[in-house]
Amino acid sequence: MALTDTQIDTTELEMLFRMGEERGIAKEEIQKLILFPDQVKFTIPTDTLVKMEYLYDFARMAWANKEIDEYEEITLRKFCIKFGFEAANAQQITEFLIEEAKKGTDKRSLLEIVKQNL
């Protein structure tokens, strides 16, 4: 997501390192991912809440510099579909995640909202 607009803003980079730290990923590993994104193997989660957690991280990353361009929004929508959500729902999910990222909703609260709507 940080590379969607072909440049990484300082705030996006800080967010990326913070998210990596939350998941126990070393800073060096993240730097390798940035330098060699084509070598990344990604496993799509099967649990709906984990999917939404990851998608929310993408939305937070997109909003890190306090603006979301159309490429970031399109990419998030594509990730929704890739994660197994219906294409017809991808726009609504994307809008929800972006709005919550703009509000600064913490992940736990977001996941509670999602649980209530499953």
Side-chain angles (χ1 to χ4, degrees), residues 63-81:
W63 181 245
N65 63 353
K66 305 297 185 231
E67 59 183 56
I68 296 183
D69 67 36
E70 68 177 297
Y71 300 109
E72 290 169 323
E73 189 172 335
I74 290 167
T75 300
L76 183 55
R77 196 167 44 247
K78 286 180 181 180
F79 271 115
C80 289
I81 295 166

PDB file of all heavy atoms in Angstrom, residues 63-81:
ATOM      1  N   TRP A  63      -3.817   6.294   4.802  1.00  0.00           N
ATOM      2  CA  TRP A  63      -4.187   7.554   5.440  1.00  0.00           C
ATOM      3  C   TRP A  63      -3.032   8.171   6.249  1.00  0.00           C
ATOM      4  O   TRP A  63      -3.133   9.300   6.736  1.00  0.00           O
ATOM      5  CB  TRP A  63      -5.406   7.349   6.333  1.00  0.00           C
ATOM      6  CG  TRP A  63      -5.864   8.594   7.015  1.00  0.00           C
ATOM      7  CD1 TRP A  63      -5.865   8.840   8.354  1.00  0.00           C
ATOM      8  CD2 TRP A  63      -6.384   9.780   6.394  1.00  0.00           C
ATOM      9  NE1 TRP A  63      -6.351  10.101   8.597  1.00  0.00           N
ATOM     10  CE2 TRP A  63      -6.674  10.702   7.412  1.00  0.00           C
ATOM     11  CE3 TRP A  63      -6.623  10.156   5.069  1.00  0.00           C
ATOM     12  CZ2 TRP A  63      -7.197  11.965   7.159  1.00  0.00           C
ATOM     13  CZ3 TRP A  63      -7.135  11.414   4.814  1.00  0.00           C
ATOM     14  CH2 TRP A  63      -7.416  12.300   5.850  1.00  0.00           C
ATOM     15  N   ALA A  64      -1.919   7.485   6.366  1.00  0.00           N
ATOM     16  CA  ALA A  64      -0.804   7.944   7.202  1.00  0.00           C
ATOM     17  C   ALA A  64      -0.365   9.372   6.873  1.00  0.00           C
ATOM     18  O   ALA A  64       0.000  10.136   7.764  1.00  0.00           O
ATOM     19  CB  ALA A  64       0.380   6.988   7.084  1.00  0.00           C
ATOM     20  N   ASN A  65      -0.405   9.743   5.605  1.00  0.00           N
ATOM     21  CA  ASN A  65       0.008  11.099   5.212  1.00  0.00           C
ATOM     22  C   ASN A  65      -1.187  12.058   5.124  1.00  0.00           C
ATOM     23  O   ASN A  65      -1.089  13.138   4.565  1.00  0.00           O
ATOM     24  CB  ASN A  65       0.781  11.068   3.897  1.00  0.00           C
ATOM     25  CG  ASN A  65      -0.054  10.565   2.736  1.00  0.00           C
ATOM     26  OD1 ASN A  65      -1.179  10.121   2.900  1.00  0.00           O
ATOM     27  ND2 ASN A  65       0.508  10.614   1.551  1.00  0.00           N
ATOM     28  N   LYS A  66      -2.314  11.626   5.682  1.00  0.00           N
ATOM     29  CA  LYS A  66      -3.538  12.437   5.771  1.00  0.00           C
ATOM     30  C   LYS A  66      -4.173  12.755   4.420  1.00  0.00           C
ATOM     31  O   LYS A  66      -4.908  13.724   4.274  1.00  0.00           O
ATOM     32  CB  LYS A  66      -3.307  13.746   6.544  1.00  0.00           C
ATOM     33  CG  LYS A  66      -2.745  13.545   7.922  1.00  0.00           C
ATOM     34  CD  LYS A  66      -3.707  12.765   8.785  1.00  0.00           C
ATOM     35  CE  LYS A  66      -3.191  12.674  10.203  1.00  0.00           C
ATOM     36  NZ  LYS A  66      -3.166  11.347  10.723  1.00  0.00           N
ATOM     37  N   GLU A  67      -3.904  11.917   3.441  1.00  0.00           N
ATOM     38  CA  GLU A  67      -4.604  12.011   2.157  1.00  0.00           C
ATOM     39  C   GLU A  67      -4.602  10.641   1.504  1.00  0.00           C
ATOM     40  O   GLU A  67      -3.691   9.849   1.695  1.00  0.00           O
ATOM     41  CB  GLU A  67      -3.969  13.054   1.237  1.00  0.00           C
ATOM     42  CG  GLU A  67      -2.514  12.811   0.900  1.00  0.00           C
ATOM     43  CD  GLU A  67      -1.931  13.921   0.040  1.00  0.00           C
ATOM     44  OE1 GLU A  67      -1.995  15.084   0.460  1.00  0.00           O
ATOM     45  OE2 GLU A  67      -1.418  13.594  -1.035  1.00  0.00           O
ATOM     46  N   ILE A  68      -5.658  10.376   0.788  1.00  0.00           N
ATOM     47  CA  ILE A  68      -5.772   9.100   0.074  1.00  0.00           C
ATOM     48  C   ILE A  68      -6.031   9.423  -1.378  1.00  0.00           C
ATOM     49  O   ILE A  68      -7.021  10.082  -1.711  1.00  0.00           O
ATOM     50  CB  ILE A  68      -6.902   8.230   0.652  1.00  0.00           C
ATOM     51  CG1 ILE A  68      -6.543   7.859   2.096  1.00  0.00           C
ATOM     52  CG2 ILE A  68      -7.130   6.994  -0.205  1.00  0.00           C
ATOM     53  CD1 ILE A  68      -7.510   6.951   2.776  1.00  0.00           C
ATOM     54  N   ASP A  69      -5.135   8.958  -2.223  1.00  0.00           N
ATOM     55  CA  ASP A  69      -5.346   9.218  -3.644  1.00  0.00           C
ATOM     56  C   ASP A  69      -6.137   8.065  -4.258  1.00  0.00           C
ATOM     57  O   ASP A  69      -6.370   7.039  -3.619  1.00  0.00           O
ATOM     58  CB  ASP A  69      -4.029   9.488  -4.382  1.00  0.00           C
ATOM     59  CG  ASP A  69      -3.107   8.283  -4.455  1.00  0.00           C
ATOM     60  OD1 ASP A  69      -3.590   7.144  -4.590  1.00  0.00           O
ATOM     61  OD2 ASP A  69      -1.879   8.481  -4.411  1.00  0.00           O
ATOM     62  N   GLU A  70      -6.557   8.265  -5.493  1.00  0.00           N
ATOM     63  CA  GLU A  70      -7.420   7.264  -6.127  1.00  0.00           C
ATOM     64  C   GLU A  70      -6.730   5.914  -6.282  1.00  0.00           C
ATOM     65  O   GLU A  70      -7.380   4.876  -6.202  1.00  0.00           O
ATOM     66  CB  GLU A  70      -7.921   7.763  -7.483  1.00  0.00           C
ATOM     67  CG  GLU A  70      -6.846   7.888  -8.538  1.00  0.00           C
ATOM     68  CD  GLU A  70      -7.393   8.313  -9.890  1.00  0.00           C
ATOM     69  OE1 GLU A  70      -8.203   7.563 -10.467  1.00  0.00           O
ATOM     70  OE2 GLU A  70      -6.991   9.388 -10.353  1.00  0.00           O
ATOM     71  N   TYR A  71      -5.411   5.898  -6.461  1.00  0.00           N
ATOM     72  CA  TYR A  71      -4.692   4.633  -6.624  1.00  0.00           C
ATOM     73  C   TYR A  71      -4.686   3.838  -5.321  1.00  0.00           C
ATOM     74  O   TYR A  71      -4.806   2.609  -5.336  1.00  0.00           O
ATOM     75  CB  TYR A  71      -3.274   4.875  -7.121  1.00  0.00           C
ATOM     76  CG  TYR A  71      -3.249   5.575  -8.459  1.00  0.00           C
ATOM     77  CD1 TYR A  71      -2.837   6.895  -8.566  1.00  0.00           C
ATOM     78  CD2 TYR A  71      -3.672   4.921  -9.613  1.00  0.00           C
ATOM     79  CE1 TYR A  71      -2.839   7.552  -9.797  1.00  0.00           C
ATOM     80  CE2 TYR A  71      -3.677   5.558 -10.844  1.00  0.00           C
ATOM     81  CZ  TYR A  71      -3.264   6.876 -10.925  1.00  0.00           C
ATOM     82  OH  TYR A  71      -3.278   7.519 -12.134  1.00  0.00           O
ATOM     83  N   GLU A  72      -4.555   4.539  -4.203  1.00  0.00           N
ATOM     84  CA  GLU A  72      -4.598   3.854  -2.913  1.00  0.00           C
ATOM     85  C   GLU A  72      -5.985   3.272  -2.657  1.00  0.00           C
ATOM     86  O   GLU A  72      -6.112   2.143  -2.185  1.00  0.00           O
ATOM     87  CB  GLU A  72      -4.207   4.825  -1.789  1.00  0.00           C
ATOM     88  CG  GLU A  72      -2.739   5.189  -1.823  1.00  0.00           C
ATOM     89  CD  GLU A  72      -2.376   6.330  -0.905  1.00  0.00           C
ATOM     90  OE1 GLU A  72      -3.175   7.284  -0.771  1.00  0.00           O
ATOM     91  OE2 GLU A  72      -1.272   6.274  -0.321  1.00  0.00           O
ATOM     92  N   GLU A  73      -7.012   4.027  -3.000  1.00  0.00           N
ATOM     93  CA  GLU A  73      -8.381   3.541  -2.821  1.00  0.00           C
ATOM     94  C   GLU A  73      -8.653   2.337  -3.729  1.00  0.00           C
ATOM     95  O   GLU A  73      -9.238   1.343  -3.303  1.00  0.00           O
ATOM     96  CB  GLU A  73      -9.387   4.653  -3.101  1.00  0.00           C
ATOM     97  CG  GLU A  73     -10.786   4.266  -2.720  1.00  0.00           C
ATOM     98  CD  GLU A  73     -11.773   5.415  -2.803  1.00  0.00           C
ATOM     99  OE1 GLU A  73     -11.371   6.582  -2.700  1.00  0.00           O
ATOM    100  OE2 GLU A  73     -12.970   5.114  -2.985  1.00  0.00           O
ATOM    101  N   ILE A  74      -8.218   2.417  -4.968  1.00  0.00           N
ATOM    102  CA  ILE A  74      -8.393   1.301  -5.906  1.00  0.00           C
ATOM    103  C   ILE A  74      -7.653   0.073  -5.406  1.00  0.00           C
ATOM    104  O   ILE A  74      -8.177  -1.053  -5.447  1.00  0.00           O
ATOM    105  CB  ILE A  74      -7.909   1.704  -7.324  1.00  0.00           C
ATOM    106  CG1 ILE A  74      -8.874   2.733  -7.933  1.00  0.00           C
ATOM    107  CG2 ILE A  74      -7.759   0.479  -8.223  1.00  0.00           C
ATOM    108  CD1 ILE A  74      -8.337   3.420  -9.178  1.00  0.00           C
ATOM    109  N   THR A  75      -6.439   0.276  -4.901  1.00  0.00           N
ATOM    110  CA  THR A  75      -5.647  -0.846  -4.394  1.00  0.00           C
ATOM    111  C   THR A  75      -6.327  -1.493  -3.199  1.00  0.00           C
ATOM    112  O   THR A  75      -6.398  -2.723  -3.111  1.00  0.00           O
ATOM    113  CB  THR A  75      -4.229  -0.375  -4.013  1.00  0.00           C
ATOM    114  OG1 THR A  75      -3.602   0.171  -5.174  1.00  0.00           O
ATOM    115  CG2 THR A  75      -3.384  -1.517  -3.480  1.00  0.00           C
ATOM    116  N   LEU A  76      -6.850  -0.680  -2.289  1.00  0.00           N
ATOM    117  CA  LEU A  76      -7.548  -1.235  -1.130  1.00  0.00           C
ATOM    118  C   LEU A  76      -8.776  -2.028  -1.571  1.00  0.00           C
ATOM    119  O   LEU A  76      -9.038  -3.121  -1.064  1.00  0.00           O
ATOM    120  CB  LEU A  76      -7.937  -0.116  -0.158  1.00  0.00           C
ATOM    121  CG  LEU A  76      -8.616  -0.557   1.136  1.00  0.00           C
ATOM    122  CD1 LEU A  76      -7.776  -1.580   1.895  1.00  0.00           C
ATOM    123  CD2 LEU A  76      -8.892   0.659   2.008  1.00  0.00           C
ATOM    124  N   ARG A  77      -9.501  -1.516  -2.533  1.00  0.00           N
ATOM    125  CA  ARG A  77     -10.676  -2.225  -3.057  1.00  0.00           C
ATOM    126  C   ARG A  77     -10.253  -3.565  -3.677  1.00  0.00           C
ATOM    127  O   ARG A  77     -10.905  -4.591  -3.472  1.00  0.00           O
ATOM    128  CB  ARG A  77     -11.392  -1.343  -4.084  1.00  0.00           C
ATOM    129  CG  ARG A  77     -12.780  -1.792  -4.386  1.00  0.00           C
ATOM    130  CD  ARG A  77     -13.613  -0.768  -5.143  1.00  0.00           C
ATOM    131  NE  ARG A  77     -12.944  -0.097  -6.245  1.00  0.00           N
ATOM    132  CZ  ARG A  77     -12.635   1.202  -6.278  1.00  0.00           C
ATOM    133  NH1 ARG A  77     -12.937   1.992  -5.268  1.00  0.00           N
ATOM    134  NH2 ARG A  77     -12.034   1.723  -7.327  1.00  0.00           N
ATOM    135  N   LYS A  78      -9.148  -3.568  -4.406  1.00  0.00           N
ATOM    136  CA  LYS A  78      -8.651  -4.818  -5.007  1.00  0.00           C
ATOM    137  C   LYS A  78      -8.242  -5.818  -3.934  1.00  0.00           C
ATOM    138  O   LYS A  78      -8.471  -7.027  -4.079  1.00  0.00           O
ATOM    139  CB  LYS A  78      -7.470  -4.525  -5.933  1.00  0.00           C
ATOM    140  CG  LYS A  78      -7.880  -3.884  -7.237  1.00  0.00           C
ATOM    141  CD  LYS A  78      -6.681  -3.620  -8.115  1.00  0.00           C
ATOM    142  CE  LYS A  78      -7.081  -2.957  -9.421  1.00  0.00           C
ATOM    143  NZ  LYS A  78      -5.922  -2.691 -10.278  1.00  0.00           N
ATOM    144  N   PHE A  79      -7.636  -5.322  -2.842  1.00  0.00           N
ATOM    145  CA  PHE A  79      -7.274  -6.215  -1.743  1.00  0.00           C
ATOM    146  C   PHE A  79      -8.525  -6.820  -1.113  1.00  0.00           C
ATOM    147  O   PHE A  79      -8.523  -8.001  -0.747  1.00  0.00           O
ATOM    148  CB  PHE A  79      -6.445  -5.492  -0.674  1.00  0.00           C
ATOM    149  CG  PHE A  79      -4.963  -5.534  -0.924  1.00  0.00           C
ATOM    150  CD1 PHE A  79      -4.270  -4.379  -1.192  1.00  0.00           C
ATOM    151  CD2 PHE A  79      -4.268  -6.733  -0.878  1.00  0.00           C
ATOM    152  CE1 PHE A  79      -2.903  -4.404  -1.418  1.00  0.00           C
ATOM    153  CE2 PHE A  79      -2.901  -6.781  -1.100  1.00  0.00           C
ATOM    154  CZ  PHE A  79      -2.216  -5.611  -1.370  1.00  0.00           C
ATOM    155  N   CYS A  80      -9.581  -6.038  -0.981  1.00  0.00           N
ATOM    156  CA  CYS A  80     -10.840  -6.578  -0.439  1.00  0.00           C
ATOM    157  C   CYS A  80     -11.304  -7.768  -1.264  1.00  0.00           C
ATOM    158  O   CYS A  80     -11.679  -8.814  -0.717  1.00  0.00           O
ATOM    159  CB  CYS A  80     -11.924  -5.498  -0.424  1.00  0.00           C
ATOM    160  SG  CYS A  80     -11.693  -4.199   0.803  1.00  0.00           S
ATOM    161  N   ILE A  81     -11.271  -7.616  -2.565  1.00  0.00           N
ATOM    162  CA  ILE A  81     -11.704  -8.688  -3.464  1.00  0.00           C
ATOM    163  C   ILE A  81     -10.743  -9.868  -3.377  1.00  0.00           C
ATOM    164  O   ILE A  81     -11.163 -11.025  -3.284  1.00  0.00           O
ATOM    165  CB  ILE A  81     -11.836  -8.159  -4.909  1.00  0.00           C
ATOM    166  CG1 ILE A  81     -12.967  -7.124  -4.977  1.00  0.00           C
ATOM    167  CG2 ILE A  81     -12.077  -9.306  -5.894  1.00  0.00           C
ATOM    168  CD1 ILE A  81     -12.991  -6.292  -6.248  1.00  0.00           C
TER     169      ILE A  81
END
